[in-house]
Amino acid sequence: MSDLTRRGLAAAAFAMFAATTAPASAADIELRFYYPIAVSGPITKLVDEMAAEFAKSHPGVTVKPIYAGDYVQTIGKALTAMKGGDVPDMAILLAADIITLTDEDAGVAMDDLATEPEDKAWLAGFYPAFMENAKLGGKTWAVPFQRSTPVLYWNKDLFKEAGLDPDKAPQTWDEMRAFARKTTKKDASGNVGQWGLEIPSDGNTSWLFTGLATANDVRLVTAEGTKTNFADPKVVEALTFFRDLSTVDAVQPKGLTSWGAAPRDFLEKKFAMIWTTTGNLSNIRKNATFPFGVGMLPAKAHFGAPTGGGNFYIFKGVSAERQKAAFEFVKWMTTPENSAKWSIATGYVATSPAAWATDAMKAYVADFPQAAVARDQLRHAVSEITVHEGQRVMKVFNDNLQAALVGAKTPEAAMKDAQGEAERILEAYR
């Protein structure tokens, strides 16, 4: 065999090897996107549609949504996949998961990807209330996407029947209690046929309770997520008020009430008022057979509410090329136009002032002013409880909140116990 032939074969072999071992080009990228929902439905259809639309405008990059269950299941699956070497490119996880993800060294700081001036401007454009638990330790680890706050919904017909102004939401705790008394209906035997109020307590107890604590001028955790304030007298006062709505005022059912059933109970006119997420706004608007209002959570010392919902996170352990492609998808999903589209379709709060300035959002608010309440409430909002060992601390807190609500502990004892156990859990992080 001649030297020329040998050199030709070697070159061909090297070319074949290079083709099989070279990193994938942008044209070969399929991004794996963990999304927190358990079953198919309108939301999954919307996510699929937006992923397909992104692919059309970004040739060679596709997005594969992976529907992984609820938020708790999704972070568990994402971290398990990461530790097993099957790393997701990105995920929507709770904003409150930021500390868990940084403790696990799982995420990429968005600041490290936002290198261009326009990227930095985009990252600075979100509402500060939503950025509270997107930043940690001087870095931005997440981008707000499907964010929410709890709001108060009321049935205008039931208010009118009770002699209340149907267009006025209760502004204070005292007004809410008074309105609830007027809209609670009992028969001659004392059986309740219609309740005045429901603040659900069996699922998102701590999230809704944060609205009571914040309105009473107390923060439940420090910004660093290393210390809780559960035993603060103002927290105890808020929990006592919550319990007394059932046991003293008798305006909502005793015991624990259902987070999941609250919107249906409201639509079935079992409750004149409920607290629930703005994420239920589209559902209630679509299915209500009566006029309804949406108001800020009532004030004690001042107005207050927690933010909630999910942020975009991009994972370590994938190539820089894949991280860059994931970053482009995150930017695309959170453009003002797409943020407005998502908000209108789902009821989640559009996460930037620029989204609210779009023609689509302006028209939506003009037709449906209730949509703007959660946005306006952001100036009074704080981040939801965000701590190290988040799931452990939250279980302790929720268990003690619920123990007080069902009468197994006094509010003072419940919050003392919650604080003591949280101190033990968080000691290693101080």
Side-chain angles (χ1 to χ4, degrees):
M1 183 181 294
S2 69
D3 287 344
L4 182 61
T5 303
R6 280 196 295 270
R7 286 197 297 269
L9 290 173
F14 178 80
M16 181 178 296
F17 174 79
T20 58
T21 60
S25 67
D28 301 319
I29 290 177
E30 181 184 72
L31 298 171
R32 299 170 69 249
F33 172 35
Y34 276 55
Y35 186 84
I37 199 165
V39 296
S40 61
I43 295 289
T44 58
K45 182 180 178 183
L46 180 59
V47 173
D48 289 342
E49 288 174 353
M50 294 182 79
E53 188 178 343
F54 172 80
K56 288 180 182 178
S57 60
H58 295 74
V61 181
T62 58
V63 176
K64 180 183 179 182
I66 298 170
Y67 300 112
D70 61 23
Y71 278 112
V72 173
Q73 293 168 327
T74 301
I75 189 173
K77 290 177 182 178
L79 290 175
T80 298
M82 180 180 178
K83 292 173 182 178
D86 187 22
V87 186
D89 297 289
M90 56 190 165
I92 296 290
L93 302 171
L94 284 173
D97 286 332
I98 184 172
I99 290 181
T100 298
L101 290 164
T102 53
D103 284 348
E104 293 283 349
D105 194 27
V108 178
M110 296 292 176
D111 315 272
D112 296 339
L113 298 172
T115 55
E116 299 299 324
E118 58 268 26
D119 294 341
K120 296 178 187 294
W122 160 79
L123 200 55
F126 296 96
Y127 282 109
F130 288 144
M131 295 303 290
E132 268 199 31
N133 48 7
K135 295 182 177 182
L136 191 67
K139 285 198 167 186
T140 304
W141 296 96
V143 170
F145 180 58
Q146 56 179 47
R147 301 301 304 272
S148 60
T149 71
V151 290
L152 181 144
Y153 295 77
W154 80 91
N155 183 318
K156 292 187 176 185
D157 285 347
L158 298 185
F159 268 38
K160 190 173 181 179
E161 289 174 12
L164 297 169
D165 183 343
D167 295 319
K168 181 187 176 185
Q171 299 297 299
T172 65
W173 286 7
D174 287 341
E175 276 195 351
M176 180 175 68
R177 180 166 45 197
F179 288 13
R181 284 173 177 161
K182 288 188 175 182
T183 52
T184 297
K185 293 182 179 180
K186 298 180 181 179
D187 62 21
S189 301
N191 298 312
V192 177
Q194 174 185 297
W195 292 99
L197 176 66
E198 181 178 28
I199 302 177
S201 54
D202 75 339
N204 279 357
T205 317
S206 58
W207 190 54
L208 295 180
F209 180 73
T210 302
L212 290 167
T214 305
N216 206 29
D217 198 30
V218 60
R219 295 289 292 258
L220 292 169
V221 298
T222 60
E224 301 79 17
T226 57
K227 188 177 186 304
T228 60
N229 300 314
F230 297 156
D232 187 292
K234 292 180 180 179
V235 177
V236 174
E237 182 184 16
L239 181 54
T240 302
F241 172 78
F242 192 4
R243 179 203 61 183
D244 287 354
L245 290 170
S246 301
T247 60
V248 176
D249 303 303
V251 296
Q252 70 173 6
K254 290 183 179 180
L256 301 181
T257 54
S258 173
W259 166 264
R264 183 182 67 245
D265 289 342
F266 181 68
L267 292 169
E268 293 177 355
K269 305 179 185 180
K270 295 178 181 178
F271 293 89
M273 294 179 283
I274 62 167
W275 286 25
T276 190
T277 172
T278 186
N280 278 320
L281 189 59
S282 295
N283 168 46
I284 290 175
R285 184 188 189 193
K286 179 181 178 181
N287 293 296
T289 57
F290 50 84
F292 69 92
V294 177
M296 295 185 193
L297 301 188
K300 181 65 163 61
H302 50 68
F303 288 108
T307 59
N311 286 342
F312 268 110
Y313 298 88
I314 296 175
F315 282 80
K316 284 187 174 179
V318 299
S319 68
E321 184 181 31
R322 297 185 71 86
Q323 290 174 357
K324 182 179 179 181
F327 185 64
E328 290 301 318
F329 179 69
V330 173
K331 286 195 297 180
W332 184 87
M333 287 288 282
T334 55
T335 62
E337 293 74 21
N338 282 331
S339 184
K341 176 181 179 180
W342 185 263
S343 178
I344 292 167
T346 64
Y348 286 105
V349 186
T351 53
S352 69
W356 290 89
T358 61
D359 289 343
M361 208 67 189
K362 288 178 180 178
Y364 177 55
V365 172
D367 179 58
F368 186 50
Q370 293 96 320
V373 171
R375 176 202 64 190
D376 296 342
Q377 189 172 239
L378 289 177
R379 64 180 178 268
H380 309 293
V382 301
S383 65
E384 62 186 303
I385 298 173
T386 306
V387 290
H388 295 276
E389 302 282 353
Q391 292 188 23
R392 290 178 64 195
V393 173
M394 293 302 293
K395 185 177 188 311
V396 166
F397 190 43
N398 279 318
D399 286 351
N400 278 283
L401 286 173
Q402 292 177 3
L405 293 173
V406 301
K409 294 182 181 181
T410 65
E412 294 85 355
M415 292 299 92
K416 181 180 178 181
D417 290 348
Q419 180 65 21
E421 186 60 26
E423 290 276 354
R424 285 188 287 275
I425 294 170
L426 295 173
E427 184 177 5
Y429 297 94
R430 288 197 291 275

